[in-house]
Amino acid sequence: MAIERTLSIIKPNAVAKDAIGAILSRFEAAGLRIVAARMLHLSREQACAFYAIHQGKPFFDELVDFMISGPVMVQALEGEDAVAKNRDIMGATNPANAAPGTIRADFADSFTENAAHGSDAADTAEVEIAFFFPEGVCPRTR
Ligand code: IDP
């Protein structure tokens, strides 16, 4: 299986719960290595740009308001089948459907406040990683 990268965001509600460490541990335990990380408070413009694909949808304004409501932790994860593995660890987008033991089952508060973001494909991962890490990301060698 191919070594891939994916973009992960610990959303404001999970940061507010002091769940950063617990969530990052799940990635590392599953063989997803953190190759870049930064904590930031998104501006409205950044949140709109990141979620541009959802503009016009009924949940868009609520999603943007939520994403700028507090700091987020953003990381690029690297490992075998990283995109699918991260989405498995996160659980379904709607936490009502998230399997027990997933991040969203454990830390989400609602459909919008669902604790984590993960890229949905390798090509979107590349774009999303460049959005937050424009300087580039070095591979982990140790
Ligand atoms: P994903 O985050 O699992 O890839 P997307 O469909 O890309 O899911 O949606 C982006 C984010 O928008 C979701 O993680 C969630 O926070 C929010 N969202 C998506 N669909 C709904 C909805 O129907 N109601 C409320 N919020 C939604």
Side-chain angles (χ1 to χ4, degrees):
M1 219 164 281
I3 298 291
E4 277 179 345
R5 286 186 184 160
T6 191
L7 192 276
S8 158
I9 304 177
I10 302 176
K11 294 184 178 182
N13 67 317
V15 171
K17 290 177 190 184
D18 296 317
I20 294 172
I23 291 172
L24 294 181
S25 297
R26 292 181 187 202
F27 298 142
E28 292 188 325
L32 294 177
R33 305 183 91 187
I34 297 158
V35 290
R38 62 186 288 224
M39 192 169 194
L40 76 163
H41 196 139
L42 290 171
S43 67
R44 183 169 294 277
E45 290 72 22
Q46 283 175 308
C48 284
F50 184 74
Y51 280 120
I53 195 166
H54 294 304
Q55 267 180 42
K57 294 186 184 166
F59 59 85
F60 181 73
D61 289 348
E62 186 186 334
L63 175 62
V64 169
D65 286 345
F66 163 57
M67 290 301 290
I68 67 174
S69 65
V72 295
M73 186 78 191
V74 184
Q75 44 282 326
L77 307 176
E78 185 177 83
E80 279 190 10
D81 214 9
V83 170
K85 201 179 269 185
N86 180 37
R87 289 188 73 90
D88 282 349
I89 296 167
M90 285 195 304
T93 305
N94 183 348
N97 302 325
T102 59
I103 289 170
R104 283 165 167 166
D106 290 343
F107 301 111
D109 293 297
S110 68
F111 204 154
T112 298
E113 301 195 13
N114 62 358
H117 166 83
S119 309
D120 63 2
D123 55 348
T124 27
E126 207 173 304
V127 173
E128 291 180 354
I129 290 170
F131 184 94
F132 285 108
F133 303 102
E135 68 280 16
V137 175
C138 285
R140 283 275 299 273
T141 54
R142 62 188 78 188

